[in-house]
Amino acid sequence: MYTSTFTFAKRQYDAEFYALDDVIAQIAKSIPGYLGEESWENQQTGLISNVYYWESMAALQSLMKHPEHMKAKQQQSRWLNGFQVVIAQVTGTYGDNGIQHPLAGRVVTTQSEAHQERQA
Protein backbone atom coordinates (compact mmCIF):
# COMPACT_ATOMS: atom_id res chain seq x y z
CA MET A 1 0.00 0.00 0.00
CA TYR A 2 1.02 3.59 -0.60
CA THR A 3 0.14 7.07 0.51
CA SER A 4 0.43 10.29 -1.40
CA THR A 5 0.40 13.35 0.82
CA PHE A 6 -0.25 16.67 -0.87
CA THR A 7 0.58 19.60 1.44
CA PHE A 8 -0.07 23.13 0.25
CA ALA A 9 -0.64 26.76 1.09
CA LYS A 10 -3.79 28.04 -0.54
CA ARG A 11 -4.41 31.25 -2.38
CA GLN A 12 -7.83 32.37 -3.54
CA TYR A 13 -9.98 29.59 -4.98
CA ASP A 14 -12.41 30.27 -7.81
CA ALA A 15 -15.18 28.35 -9.56
CA GLU A 16 -12.71 26.73 -11.96
CA PHE A 17 -10.65 25.42 -9.03
CA TYR A 18 -13.69 23.86 -7.34
CA ALA A 19 -14.86 22.28 -10.60
CA LEU A 20 -11.44 20.81 -11.39
CA ASP A 21 -10.96 19.66 -7.79
CA ASP A 22 -14.30 17.85 -7.91
CA VAL A 23 -13.46 16.15 -11.21
CA ILE A 24 -10.10 14.94 -9.88
CA ALA A 25 -11.73 13.65 -6.69
CA GLN A 26 -14.24 11.65 -8.72
CA ILE A 27 -11.48 10.27 -10.95
CA ALA A 28 -9.43 9.20 -7.92
CA LYS A 29 -12.41 7.44 -6.35
CA SER A 30 -13.09 5.57 -9.59
CA ILE A 31 -9.58 4.09 -9.85
CA PRO A 32 -9.36 0.46 -8.74
CA GLY A 33 -6.96 0.49 -5.80
CA TYR A 34 -8.08 3.83 -4.35
CA LEU A 35 -8.63 3.18 -0.63
CA GLY A 36 -9.68 6.59 0.68
CA GLU A 37 -8.38 9.93 1.85
CA GLU A 38 -8.13 12.34 4.74
CA SER A 39 -7.53 16.09 4.97
CA TRP A 40 -5.80 18.06 7.69
CA GLU A 41 -5.19 21.75 8.29
CA ASN A 42 -2.46 23.11 10.52
CA GLN A 43 -4.00 26.10 12.28
CA GLN A 44 -0.59 27.57 13.14
CA THR A 45 0.89 27.52 9.63
CA GLY A 46 -2.28 27.53 7.55
CA LEU A 47 -0.98 24.57 5.54
CA ILE A 48 -3.43 21.93 4.34
CA SER A 49 -2.54 18.26 3.80
CA ASN A 50 -4.56 15.77 1.81
CA VAL A 51 -3.50 12.17 2.37
CA TYR A 52 -4.61 9.65 -0.26
CA TYR A 53 -4.36 5.90 0.34
CA TRP A 54 -3.66 3.46 -2.50
CA GLU A 55 -3.52 -0.32 -2.82
CA SER A 56 -0.63 -0.13 -5.32
CA MET A 57 1.80 2.23 -6.99
CA ALA A 58 0.05 1.47 -10.29
CA ALA A 59 -3.23 2.81 -8.88
CA LEU A 60 -1.51 5.97 -7.63
CA GLN A 61 0.18 6.48 -10.98
CA SER A 62 -3.17 6.16 -12.75
CA LEU A 63 -4.23 9.36 -11.05
CA MET A 64 -0.87 11.09 -11.49
CA LYS A 65 -0.93 10.43 -15.25
CA HIS A 66 -4.59 11.33 -15.77
CA PRO A 67 -5.06 14.35 -18.11
CA GLU A 68 -7.24 16.24 -15.60
CA HIS A 69 -4.62 15.81 -12.88
CA MET A 70 -1.92 17.00 -15.29
CA LYS A 71 -4.09 20.03 -16.10
CA ALA A 72 -4.39 20.87 -12.41
CA LYS A 73 -0.62 20.57 -11.91
CA GLN A 74 -0.01 23.01 -14.77
CA GLN A 75 -2.39 25.57 -13.25
CA GLN A 76 -1.64 25.06 -9.54
CA SER A 77 0.11 28.42 -9.08
CA ARG A 78 -3.24 30.15 -9.74
CA TRP A 79 -4.70 28.64 -6.55
CA LEU A 80 -1.72 27.55 -4.46
CA ASN A 81 1.06 29.46 -2.79
CA GLY A 82 3.44 26.51 -2.77
CA PHE A 83 3.12 22.74 -2.32
CA GLN A 84 4.97 19.55 -1.44
CA VAL A 85 4.04 15.99 -2.37
CA VAL A 86 5.30 12.98 -0.42
CA ILE A 87 4.83 9.45 -1.78
CA ALA A 88 5.38 6.73 0.82
CA GLN A 89 5.06 2.98 1.02
CA VAL A 90 3.02 1.78 3.99
CA THR A 91 5.03 -0.77 5.95
CA GLY A 92 2.50 -1.31 8.70
CA THR A 93 -0.82 -0.19 10.12
CA TYR A 94 -2.63 -0.90 13.35
CA GLY A 95 -5.27 0.56 15.63
CA ASP A 96 -8.05 -0.27 18.02
CA ASN A 97 -10.82 0.14 15.40
CA GLY A 98 -12.19 3.04 17.44
CA ILE A 99 -12.20 5.32 14.38
CA GLN A 100 -13.05 4.91 10.74
CA HIS A 101 -9.86 4.99 8.69
CA PRO A 102 -9.15 4.00 5.06
CA LEU A 103 -6.57 1.42 6.16
CA ALA A 104 -8.39 -0.01 9.19
CA GLY A 105 -8.39 -3.79 9.09
CA ARG A 106 -6.10 -4.01 6.07
CA VAL A 107 -3.10 -6.32 6.00
CA VAL A 108 0.05 -4.70 4.66
CA THR A 109 2.21 -6.63 2.23
CA THR A 110 5.42 -4.87 1.22
CA GLN A 111 6.93 -5.35 -2.23
CA SER A 112 9.73 -7.51 -0.80
CA GLU A 113 7.20 -9.75 0.99
CA ALA A 114 5.12 -10.05 -2.17
CA HIS A 115 8.27 -10.94 -4.12
CA GLN A 116 9.21 -13.60 -1.51
CA GLU A 117 5.72 -15.09 -1.70
CA ARG A 118 5.99 -15.34 -5.51
CA GLN A 119 9.38 -17.09 -5.17
CA ALA A 120 8.04 -19.70 -2.72
Side-chain angles (χ1 to χ4, degrees):
M1 283 183 264
Y2 293 85
T3 63
S4 56
T5 303
F6 179 56
T7 303
F8 59 95
K10 68 179 185 178
R11 289 187 183 194
Q12 187 67 38
Y13 296 164
D14 58 16
E16 188 176 354
F17 169 85
Y18 288 111
L20 187 55
D21 188 56
D22 187 52
V23 166
I24 292 170
Q26 295 307 314
I27 292 166
K29 291 173 184 174
S30 74
I31 295 172
Y34 167 86
L35 301 175
E37 64 188 76
E38 299 175 290
S39 294
W40 306 95
E41 185 168 353
N42 182 322
Q43 296 297 320
Q44 292 179 331
T45 64
L47 295 178
I48 299 168
S49 288
N50 295 328
V51 183
Y52 299 88
Y53 299 94
W54 302 92
E55 187 68 43
S56 66
M57 181 57 76
L60 167 57
Q61 289 176 339
S62 293
L63 179 62
M64 292 170 54
K65 295 176 182 179
H66 194 282
E68 291 298 315
H69 186 263
M70 300 296 286
K71 179 180 172 182
K73 283 175 59 175
Q74 292 171 346
Q75 298 183 59
Q76 59 81 20
S77 63
R78 291 176 52 194
W79 306 299
L80 307 181
N81 204 19
F83 72 93
Q84 183 72 39
V85 176
V86 176
I87 308 296
Q89 184 174 11
V90 176
T91 60
T93 180
Y94 63 91
D96 67 359
N97 295 321
I99 63 170
Q100 284 192 333
H101 188 275
L103 299 186
R106 294 191 178 272
V107 176
V108 176
T109 303
T110 64
Q111 285 182 334
S112 61
E113 290 171 337
H115 178 73
Q116 289 172 357
E117 287 174 9
R118 286 192 299 271
Q119 299 300 316

